[in-house]
Amino acid sequence: MTSETLWYANRATGAVCLVLFTVVVLLGIAVRLRGKVPGLPRFGTVSLHRTLSLSATAFLALHIAFAVVDSYVDITVLDVLVPFASDYQPLWLGLGTVALDLMLAVLITSLLRERIGHRAWRAVHWLAYVSWPVALVHGIGIGTDTGTDWMTWLTVSCVAAVIAAFGIRVAHSARAARRTPAALLRTAEGVRS
């Protein structure tokens, strides 16, 4: 593969990762809200979330491999695993490394979910909400397509979708928190009578 081919492959897999991880976050929020994708039963939404998570991770592995193999820029395996260690764009590449490390923690604990328990898995799974914006900033800072019309629209669309879904998630949690004390009070009053 030529350096130019690797460069195009790296750019393409980075954009695909943005879309796939955005959909994964949206599906994760839908699963948490007990939502479902039209045409799928609820367990289908969970299955789709897991499948797309693994697909996104595969594209991320390709994105990283293309960056390391490409000789135009010197990115080593150490740079991929240790944040801010690279000589090339240390801040932007370091943010990508942080996002990768967080995502690896989510992936590994998801694979070990039955062994580590739901509470530990859930605590680590929250890192996905941190990993996505860190990866987004990495792409904006280091991406060679940043500023092009197509990438701007893609990024804005992904951000808008995640913000909207996160807003729905927060609103749902706030409604549930307001209902919980009232429901407990009604239950306690029913027990007393």
Side-chain angles (χ1 to χ4, degrees):
M1 244 190 241
T2 67
S3 186
E4 185 177 7
T5 303
L6 289 169
W7 181 68
Y8 280 114
N10 191 15
R11 292 169 56 206
T13 54
V16 170
C17 282
L18 172 61
V19 172
L20 286 176
F21 279 114
T22 298
V23 173
V24 167
V25 168
L26 297 175
L27 286 170
I29 291 171
V31 166
R32 181 68 184 133
L33 295 175
R34 301 198 190 303
K36 62 181 192 167
V37 173
L40 287 179
R42 185 171 182 287
F43 72 85
T45 304
V46 172
S47 180
L48 184 59
H49 173 68
R50 289 178 183 159
T51 301
L52 282 180
S53 296
L54 291 175
S55 298
T57 303
F59 270 93
L60 180 59
L62 285 173
H63 176 66
I64 292 166
F66 290 139
V68 170
V69 172
D70 188 358
S71 61
Y72 183 74
V73 175
D74 186 30
I75 297 174
T76 67
V77 174
L78 181 67
D79 298 335
V80 170
L81 298 173
V82 180
F84 313 108
S86 176
D87 290 332
Y88 174 74
Q89 304 254 353
L91 174 63
W92 304 123
L93 190 61
L95 288 173
T97 302
V98 168
L100 170 66
D101 293 345
L102 294 171
M103 196 48 60
L104 286 175
V106 171
L107 176 67
I108 291 167
T109 56
S110 292
L111 294 172
L112 299 173
R113 183 177 176 178
E114 298 299 320
R115 292 182 182 225
I116 65 171
H118 183 75
R119 181 176 256 166
W121 167 80
R122 187 173 179 80
V124 174
H125 208 76
W126 279 95
L127 294 176
Y129 288 120
V130 177
S131 178
W132 185 86
V134 171
L136 178 75
V137 172
H138 155 78
I140 291 169
I142 204 168
T144 55
D145 289 313
T146 300
T148 61
D149 288 345
W150 73 270
M151 192 62 191
T152 299
W153 282 110
L154 180 65
T155 303
V156 167
S157 299
C158 289
V159 169
V162 169
I163 288 173
F166 188 71
I168 292 168
R169 169 76 172 95
V170 169
H172 184 271
S173 294
R175 277 193 306 272
R178 283 193 306 266
R179 279 189 298 232
T180 302
L184 291 173
L185 182 60
R186 283 192 302 274
T187 304
E189 287 173 354
V191 170
R192 279 189 248 152
S193 21

